[in-house]
Amino acid sequence: MSGQPPQGSWTGPDTTVAREAALGDERIEKPSSPTGRGRGWLRVDLRSVASSLVVPVLSVVTALIIGGFVIVLSDPDFWAMLQSDPIGAIVKGLQDVIASYQALLTGSIGSPTEMISALASGDPKEITAAFQPISETLLSATPLIFTGLAVAVGFRAGLFNIGAEGQLYIGAIFAVYVGFSFTGLPMFIHLPLAIAAGILGGAIWGFVPGILKAKTGAHEVIVTIMMNYISYQVVMLVLKTEGFQRPGRDDPISQNVLPSATLPPLIDGLRVHWGFILALVAAAVVSWLLFRSTTGFEFRAVGLNPGAARYAGMNISRTIVLAMVISGGLAGLAGTVEMLGTSGKLTPGFSPGYGFDAIAIALIGGSRPSGVVAAAILFGALRAGATPMQAATGTPIDLVVVIQALVIMFVAAPALVRAIWRIKSGRATGTEVFSKGWGA
Amino acid sequence: MRIPKFLVGIASVAVIVAACSSGASPTPAPTEAPTAAPTAAPTAAPTEAPTAAPTEAPSPTAAPKAFKACQVSDTGGIDDKGFNANAWQGMQNAATELGIEVKFLESKAETDYERNLQQFIDENCDIIVTVGFLLGDATAKFANANPLTEFAIVDYAYDPKIQNVAGLVFQTDEAAMMAGYLAAAMSKSGKIGTFGGINIPPVTIFMNGLAAGINYYNKANGTSVELLGWDPTAADGKGDGTFTGDFSDKDKGKQVTLSFIQEGADVIVPVAGPVGLGAAAAVQENKDNGVMLIGVDTDQFVSAPEYGDVTLTSILKRIDNAVTAAIKASYDNTFMGGVYNNTLSNEGVGLAPFHDFESAVSADVKAALDDLKAKIISGEVKVSDYLSAK
């Protein structure tokens, strides 16, 4: 903890003073700015945003540069060429790096000229082709936004939810079951029902560690990790269960979600679906919840100083349980949109670790919903661009994992980034660990 | 001083971006995996015409024509030393033989499957090879949408068949039954241990075969050799047993193997991809107690030579041959959709040589194995008849 809460905010059970101070700005430890109040919860303080962006952006840049070295140094041709023609090897290495990143970029964003010419031509086929890269990026980002929000909510309440992965799987089970088993319903009933089921599934899986922590003090890190393992086995179990497993197949694969419970694509021919819009809505709701609602205030107060929060008359147990339920529900939504939008069926291991990437995303995004959305889109772009990069240059897809890991490392060590780029440490940028330590 | 130095950072980014947009000469697409050369070498020469060929391949044409074969791996990755790597070996063999271009894309997530398939459709691949049941739906979708492209999928088949998809399935239980017989004959303690990675059909089919081979041996010789770790009759005939839960954690493979050895097992058959290497390490530690290992998929004596001294044999699943055959058929315009069953009789599955154990396996056992093989091929002995010990 770098910043102290403003003195006086915590002096008595009257929470309104502290609450006003907290709502005046996004973070509780900063004094409220005079213009900050009453201008709506989406108010942006540009200077604060810019300074809080420095470390994440430079982390990404540093990670990409080191990733470049990895591309060159992991290429056996480079080492072979280094003996005979060192300069040529370095030049070729540099070209490889540039080609790889170019493919990564065009594969994740696309080419603006192509988009414009496609729009001008009006040919729907060309338009889908031009917008496919960005569609793929947003598609990959969608589950990450949900899981990132889930972990961020936990962080704000001082809880380290490592269980987003498990909550995602349970949410997926619930959503896919409602999605294929409830026949004959119109879409406007069936789809919301399936989504609600997914939220419920994740929320249940979040409730268990929440209540265990609140009632027995069991540490949520340990409980959520263990519940991840249980969730994997539950997935295997249901996929082997008659009525869930696809008829006529021995493989662990579920029945297909019915069209009436499917999240339709945003644009026909592209894979990005309404789940992305749902993710943005969820981010807005979480933003409101955390920074404009009493509940959110309690989350953050408990997260920063449970003792003070208790003294201020807040119900710590209730807050912990509620935060874990909301966190779990959000993670459950990640599994839900994967089932109802992207894949249409449940298979074991469908998540490549969305719940774990989420920890990094919440960290990079400073546990702010807007930051989470941005970080998730960055990770989505890396994932979407990896395929064209691999196809064009043969750079292994694992490079993306390396880059992601480096970004996380640098974001977690802001002092390192500042040292590399020789930036003086100003005030705190809000990327400190929000969770309490062990046994908090 | 913070701002200027920050600008320095921005400037360096600008330089990189500028470099990106200037004359970048893209490197040509590699025809081989840069780092992922599978170590799983086939035991047979790649030129040997596989009998599992979807159709009889006519003599190769003299001049290689422009032809591109593309493989989408599942989330195991191309260098999984398992079926993705084996399929890639088949791709590379086809490249050597026919002089064609081969290429792969790895999948890291379920969302990657369609993305990778789309990429290959955009690149006009002539045949796209997909690996594993997880790609079943995506392959069907793209095959139906692109009827002029040919597809082959490993470990999956469609019913009804799709005209432009070859489903390559493997009757590995036939070869595993031979391995079960061998294990029972070689075991001194009368206990065989097996475990799987995940309880899925491509894994449990090995274990079923193993159980059948042991039961067959017991019936033929009046013995009561036991199989630990798998019971084909459990769970209402679906079978149940020991699984490590994934295909990556070698430590778990070692732990499970050590506990089998504790229980007295002296032949261990791990059906868990790379997890099997952990089992191999545990077996090697107990080499002096006469514990042996039977590998799966490829000849483990070749792919993991460090454990060669304890590798009795391996149950071969010739994915490489089947993939090469499918590519050849596509290349020769003789490709047909449908199910391609790879069995003992067409050498799509089989037992690897005994290598270091060549002299340890008695002539009687070898003769009995040949007899069993002939009976399985003729249909006189069926794996399904020997799943129950009774």
Side-chain angles (χ1 to χ4, degrees), chain A residues 96 136 140 240 271 391 398, chain B residues 27 103 108 111 115 238:
Chain A
D96 281 355
E136 291 295 314
S140 287
K240 287 273 171 187
R271 286 209 294 159
D398 301 294
Chain B
T27 51
K103 207 174 168 181
K108 286 282 173 208
T111 38
R115 188 177 292 156
K238 281 186 174 180

Side-chain angles (χ1 to χ4, degrees), chain A residues 72-407:
Chain A
V72 176
L73 298 181
S74 65
D75 183 0
D77 291 351
F78 171 78
W79 294 104
M81 212 170 153
L82 201 60
Q83 303 289 330
S84 55
D85 179 11
I87 296 170
I90 291 165
V91 170
K92 192 190 155 291
L94 210 59
Q95 284 171 345
D96 281 355
V97 172
I98 292 166
S100 296
Y101 283 156
Q102 210 172 23
L104 191 65
L105 201 67
T106 51
S108 54
I109 297 170
S111 125
T113 49
E114 253 179 55
M115 288 181 197
I116 292 165
S117 73
L119 283 176
S121 76
D123 179 4
K125 250 193 178 159
E126 260 184 55
I127 294 175
T128 49
F131 284 91
Q132 196 189 327
I134 204 137
S135 150
E136 291 295 314
T137 293
L138 299 182
L139 180 79
S140 287
T142 304
L144 293 172
I145 296 175
F146 284 117
T147 52
L149 290 171
V151 175
V153 167
F155 274 165
R156 287 288 178 180
L159 297 163
F160 211 152
N161 180 10
I162 317 270
E165 187 82 355
Q167 292 143 17
L168 170 151
Y169 274 112
I170 302 299
I173 293 174
F174 276 55
V176 90
Y177 183 74
V178 172
F180 72 70
S181 65
F182 290 27
T183 51
L185 293 176
M187 191 173 189
F188 71 93
I189 296 173
H190 197 185
L191 184 56
L193 204 63
I195 292 171
I199 297 174
L200 177 71
I204 291 172
W205 222 243
F207 172 78
V208 176
I211 194 83
L212 284 177
K213 183 175 176 93
K215 297 293 173 203
T216 72
H219 202 288
E220 80 278 5
V221 169
I222 295 170
V223 178
T224 52
I225 290 177
M226 293 306 144
M227 291 201 46
N228 284 344
Y229 288 113
I230 300 172
S231 76
Y232 305 152
Q233 301 305 322
V234 172
V235 169
M236 284 307 293
L237 181 74
V238 296
L239 286 177
K240 287 273 171 187
T241 309
E242 214 173 307
F244 205 103
Q245 193 175 15
R246 191 176 294 185
R249 291 223 64 96
D250 290 330
D251 307 309
I253 191 163
S254 81
Q255 300 183 35
N256 275 323
V257 169
L258 297 169
S260 56
T262 300
L263 286 160
L266 281 175
I267 300 162
D268 268 332
L270 291 178
R271 286 209 294 159
V272 64
H273 49 76
W274 278 90
F276 179 68
I277 304 295
L278 200 61
L280 295 184
V281 171
V285 170
V286 169
S287 191
W288 176 85
L289 175 86
L290 282 178
F291 303 117
R292 292 303 284 181
S293 75
T294 317
T295 311
F297 173 75
E298 288 182 359
F299 282 9
R300 290 182 296 142
V302 170
L304 283 168
N305 192 337
R310 181 179 287 118
Y311 187 61
M314 295 176 190
N315 184 341
I316 309 287
S317 296
R318 183 185 153 271
T319 307
I320 287 175
V321 174
L322 192 59
M324 279 309 292
V325 164
I326 292 175
S327 181
L330 285 164
L333 265 171
T336 305
V337 294
E338 284 294 282
M339 292 301 100
L340 306 181
T342 309
S343 137
K345 61 181 182 294
L346 180 67
T347 50
F350 75 85
S351 160
Y354 292 131
F356 300 119
D357 285 352
I359 299 163
I361 285 168
L363 204 62
I364 296 171
S367 290
R368 287 184 201 85
S370 54
V372 164
V373 170
I377 291 177
L378 169 74
F379 273 41
L382 284 171
R383 286 213 180 273
T387 291
M389 177 185 75
Q390 193 185 13
T393 64
T395 307
I397 198 165
D398 301 294
L399 175 75
V400 164
V401 182
V402 173
I403 292 176
Q404 285 180 353
L406 288 167
V407 172

Side-chain angles (χ1 to χ4, degrees), chain B residues 343-362:
Chain B
T343 60
L344 270 184
S345 75
N346 61 26
E347 292 180 24
V349 301
L351 271 197
F354 304 126
H355 299 288
D356 285 3
F357 286 88
E358 194 61 57
S359 55
V361 182
S362 71

Side-chain angles (χ1 to χ4, degrees), chain B residues 62-145:
Chain B
K65 62 178 174 182
F67 187 91
K68 195 165 167 185
C70 304
Q71 179 188 342
V72 178
S73 87
D74 82 346
T75 47
I78 198 79
D79 51 355
D80 62 348
K81 296 199 178 187
F83 65 173
N84 288 298
N86 290 352
W88 178 239
Q89 183 64 48
M91 301 279 288
Q92 286 175 310
N93 292 346
T96 321
E97 223 175 305
L98 306 170
I100 59 170
E101 184 189 350
V102 293
K103 207 174 168 181
F104 72 80
L105 284 177
E106 281 188 274
S107 308
K108 286 282 173 208
E110 191 135 316
T111 38
D112 289 342
Y113 299 150
E114 290 193 20
R115 188 177 292 156
N116 289 342
L117 283 164
Q118 185 62 49
Q119 178 77 30
F120 277 150
I121 293 290
D122 293 345
E123 289 186 21
N124 294 316
C125 293
D126 296 278
I127 181 167
I128 299 176
V129 177
T130 59
V131 182
F133 77 92
L134 290 171
L135 275 132
D137 287 2
T139 305
K141 181 177 162 187
F142 276 79
N144 286 322

Side-chain angles (χ1 to χ4, degrees), chain A residues 415-435:
Chain A
L416 184 60
V417 179
R418 290 208 191 87
I420 290 173
W421 294 89
R422 298 177 176 283
I423 295 169
K424 269 201 192 133
S425 163
R427 57 198 177 87
T429 51
T431 47
E432 294 79 15
V433 178
F434 294 98
S435 167

